[in-house]
Amino acid sequence: MKEKLQQIQAEAVRRIQESDSLDKLNEARVAFLGKKGELTAVLKGMKDVAKEERPLVGQLVNETREAIESLLDQTKEKLEARLMEQKLREEVIDVTLPAKKAEIGHRHPNTIALEEVERIFIGMGYEVVEGPEVEYDLYNFEKLNIPANHPAKDEQDTFYINKDIVLRTQTSPVQARVMEQGKLPIRMIAPGRVFRSDEVDATHSPSFHQIEGLVVDKHITFADLKGTLEEFAKELFGPETKTKFRPHHFPFTEPSAEVDVTCFKCGGSGCRFCKGSGWIEILGCGMVHPHVLEMCGIDPEEYSGFAFGVGLERIALLKYEIDDMRLLYENDTRFLKQF
Ligand code: DAH
């Protein structure tokens, strides 16, 4: 029996010493001390040992057990320490490495320009509203006095969803939508994306943005239109800015005008920026056509109004002296960072 126990102990020591992981060590523990382990088998065999010998054999078994247990414990500690060391080595942090910079973006130049325009008009008591980008031909053209076969439809060729639905070519349809709601008076601006079937170049894009403006009330005159847009130009480009109203034609306004502002680069004396003229065109405007009022359910005998449409990109390009519109859409952070 004694030899048997010595043999088990020697075998256990060998297995424990060979264990190079906690898993293997645990396997060794189970193999010798577990329910079906070798030492347990010896204990179970005690009933066959002669009564007088039992205390001695019991003591031997206990000694063997203690020896194995203590070696298991020591080895476990050693393996755990080694594991911890390895972990610490692998997870070492080099505090001298440069930190990763969190790239915090900022507003796009278009957005900055839009918020500036919104601020100015909100300050004058206007409401900011929105309309759909996918729009009925009815609102985009028909209700704005642009019937089928009107040449203005050619100039604003767009993407047709079907024969009645288009990607809107202008923000002007929002005028019709707001007037139709019948809540008067109206003082609103409507910014948003518009679409045209244009080739991309330095000043064109198939998708760009406009800001529409509309005022409808009793006794609104061209003087209100002029005063409002003059004030807008001064706020946006500086107090010295002068405006010039040139006669123009838009189907939904009568009379209509295009507005130029004095070049904020040269102050009006003429430079490369304004192509020597001293003036820069910024928007289209006019008095809402009586027929448009009528089509939208407003009595033109009682009410009158003015409207205007500004190209947002145009404002951003002018304000930040950017000479190619494509830069606004390329998302090159080296460019965008500058604003
Ligand atoms: N919708 C016109 C365009 O895209 C711009 C415009 C002109 C809007 C005159 C207006 C306006 O509201 O009165 O060319």
Short mmCIF file of all heavy atoms in Angstrom, two decimals, residues 156 170 172 175 196 210 212 250 252-253 284-286 307-309, ligand 1:
data_model
loop_
_atom_site.label_atom_id
_atom_site.label_comp_id
_atom_site.label_asym_id
_atom_site.label_seq_id
_atom_site.Cartn_x
_atom_site.Cartn_y
_atom_site.Cartn_z
N GLN A 156 -35.87 75.54 -66.66
CA GLN A 156 -35.76 74.82 -65.40
C GLN A 156 -36.07 73.35 -65.60
O GLN A 156 -36.91 72.77 -64.93
CB GLN A 156 -36.71 75.42 -64.36
CG GLN A 156 -36.38 76.87 -64.06
CD GLN A 156 -37.05 77.38 -62.80
OE1 GLN A 156 -37.70 76.64 -62.08
NE2 GLN A 156 -36.87 78.65 -62.51
N GLN A 170 -37.15 74.92 -57.80
CA GLN A 170 -37.04 76.18 -57.07
C GLN A 170 -37.79 76.03 -55.74
O GLN A 170 -38.57 75.10 -55.56
CB GLN A 170 -37.65 77.32 -57.89
CG GLN A 170 -38.99 76.94 -58.53
CD GLN A 170 -39.52 77.99 -59.49
OE1 GLN A 170 -38.97 79.08 -59.61
NE2 GLN A 170 -40.60 77.67 -60.18
N SER A 172 -39.84 78.27 -54.82
CA SER A 172 -41.08 79.05 -55.00
C SER A 172 -42.37 78.26 -54.77
O SER A 172 -43.37 78.85 -54.31
CB SER A 172 -41.08 79.69 -56.40
OG SER A 172 -39.90 80.45 -56.59
N GLN A 175 -44.25 78.96 -51.68
CA GLN A 175 -45.14 80.14 -51.67
C GLN A 175 -46.59 79.70 -51.86
O GLN A 175 -47.47 80.07 -51.08
CB GLN A 175 -44.82 81.06 -52.85
CG GLN A 175 -43.56 81.86 -52.74
CD GLN A 175 -43.49 82.88 -53.89
OE1 GLN A 175 -44.51 83.39 -54.35
NE2 GLN A 175 -42.28 83.18 -54.34
N ARG A 196 -31.94 70.74 -60.67
CA ARG A 196 -32.10 71.03 -62.10
C ARG A 196 -31.22 70.09 -62.88
O ARG A 196 -30.20 69.63 -62.39
CB ARG A 196 -31.68 72.48 -62.40
CG ARG A 196 -32.57 73.44 -61.64
CD ARG A 196 -32.75 74.76 -62.30
NE ARG A 196 -33.48 75.62 -61.36
CZ ARG A 196 -33.49 76.92 -61.39
NH1 ARG A 196 -32.80 77.56 -62.33
NH2 ARG A 196 -34.19 77.59 -60.52
N GLN A 210 -31.91 77.05 -52.29
CA GLN A 210 -32.45 78.40 -52.40
C GLN A 210 -33.13 78.78 -51.10
O GLN A 210 -33.47 77.92 -50.28
CB GLN A 210 -33.49 78.48 -53.53
CG GLN A 210 -32.92 78.34 -54.92
CD GLN A 210 -33.99 78.55 -55.99
OE1 GLN A 210 -35.18 78.34 -55.74
NE2 GLN A 210 -33.58 78.95 -57.18
N GLU A 212 -36.46 80.99 -50.25
CA GLU A 212 -37.59 81.73 -50.79
C GLU A 212 -38.09 82.69 -49.73
O GLU A 212 -37.98 82.40 -48.53
CB GLU A 212 -38.70 80.72 -51.12
CG GLU A 212 -39.77 81.23 -52.00
CD GLU A 212 -39.28 81.37 -53.44
OE1 GLU A 212 -38.24 80.79 -53.78
OE2 GLU A 212 -39.97 82.06 -54.21
N PHE A 250 -40.11 87.35 -64.16
CA PHE A 250 -40.43 86.03 -63.61
C PHE A 250 -41.93 85.84 -63.80
O PHE A 250 -42.69 86.79 -63.63
CB PHE A 250 -40.07 85.95 -62.11
CG PHE A 250 -38.60 86.08 -61.84
CD1 PHE A 250 -38.08 87.27 -61.32
CD2 PHE A 250 -37.73 85.03 -62.10
CE1 PHE A 250 -36.72 87.39 -61.07
CE2 PHE A 250 -36.36 85.16 -61.86
CZ PHE A 250 -35.85 86.35 -61.34
N PHE A 252 -44.18 84.52 -62.06
CA PHE A 252 -45.06 84.58 -60.88
C PHE A 252 -45.01 85.91 -60.14
O PHE A 252 -45.63 86.07 -59.09
CB PHE A 252 -44.75 83.42 -59.92
CG PHE A 252 -43.28 83.13 -59.78
CD1 PHE A 252 -42.53 83.73 -58.77
CD2 PHE A 252 -42.64 82.29 -60.67
CE1 PHE A 252 -41.18 83.46 -58.65
CE2 PHE A 252 -41.27 82.02 -60.56
CZ PHE A 252 -40.54 82.61 -59.55
N THR A 253 -44.24 86.87 -60.67
CA THR A 253 -44.23 88.20 -60.06
C THR A 253 -44.43 89.26 -61.14
O THR A 253 -44.04 89.07 -62.29
CB THR A 253 -42.90 88.47 -59.33
OG1 THR A 253 -41.81 88.02 -60.15
CG2 THR A 253 -42.85 87.79 -57.99
N GLY A 284 -33.51 87.22 -57.16
CA GLY A 284 -34.64 87.63 -57.98
C GLY A 284 -35.82 87.94 -57.08
O GLY A 284 -35.95 87.37 -56.00
N CYS A 285 -36.67 88.86 -57.52
CA CYS A 285 -37.79 89.25 -56.65
C CYS A 285 -38.91 89.91 -57.46
O CYS A 285 -38.79 90.11 -58.66
CB CYS A 285 -37.31 90.20 -55.56
SG CYS A 285 -36.72 91.78 -56.22
N GLY A 286 -39.98 90.26 -56.78
CA GLY A 286 -41.06 90.98 -57.45
C GLY A 286 -42.31 91.00 -56.60
O GLY A 286 -42.35 90.45 -55.51
N ALA A 307 -42.27 88.81 -53.18
CA ALA A 307 -41.56 87.54 -53.01
C ALA A 307 -40.13 87.71 -53.51
O ALA A 307 -39.83 88.63 -54.27
CB ALA A 307 -42.25 86.44 -53.80
N PHE A 308 -39.27 86.85 -53.03
CA PHE A 308 -37.88 86.86 -53.52
C PHE A 308 -37.29 85.46 -53.40
O PHE A 308 -37.78 84.63 -52.63
CB PHE A 308 -37.02 87.87 -52.76
CG PHE A 308 -37.07 87.71 -51.26
CD1 PHE A 308 -36.17 86.87 -50.60
CD2 PHE A 308 -38.01 88.40 -50.51
CE1 PHE A 308 -36.21 86.71 -49.22
CE2 PHE A 308 -38.06 88.24 -49.12
CZ PHE A 308 -37.17 87.40 -48.47
N GLY A 309 -36.27 85.23 -54.19
CA GLY A 309 -35.59 83.93 -54.14
C GLY A 309 -34.08 84.15 -54.20
O GLY A 309 -33.58 84.81 -55.11
N1 DAH B 1 -37.58 80.91 -58.31
C1 DAH B 1 -36.71 81.82 -59.04
C2 DAH B 1 -35.60 81.00 -59.68
O1 DAH B 1 -35.32 79.93 -59.25
C3 DAH B 1 -36.14 82.88 -58.15
C4 DAH B 1 -37.18 83.87 -57.74
C5 DAH B 1 -37.38 85.01 -58.46
C6 DAH B 1 -37.98 83.65 -56.64
C7 DAH B 1 -38.33 85.95 -58.11
C8 DAH B 1 -38.96 84.58 -56.28
C9 DAH B 1 -39.12 85.72 -57.03
O2 DAH B 1 -39.75 84.41 -55.23
O3 DAH B 1 -40.06 86.61 -56.67
O4 DAH B 1 -34.98 81.47 -60.59
#
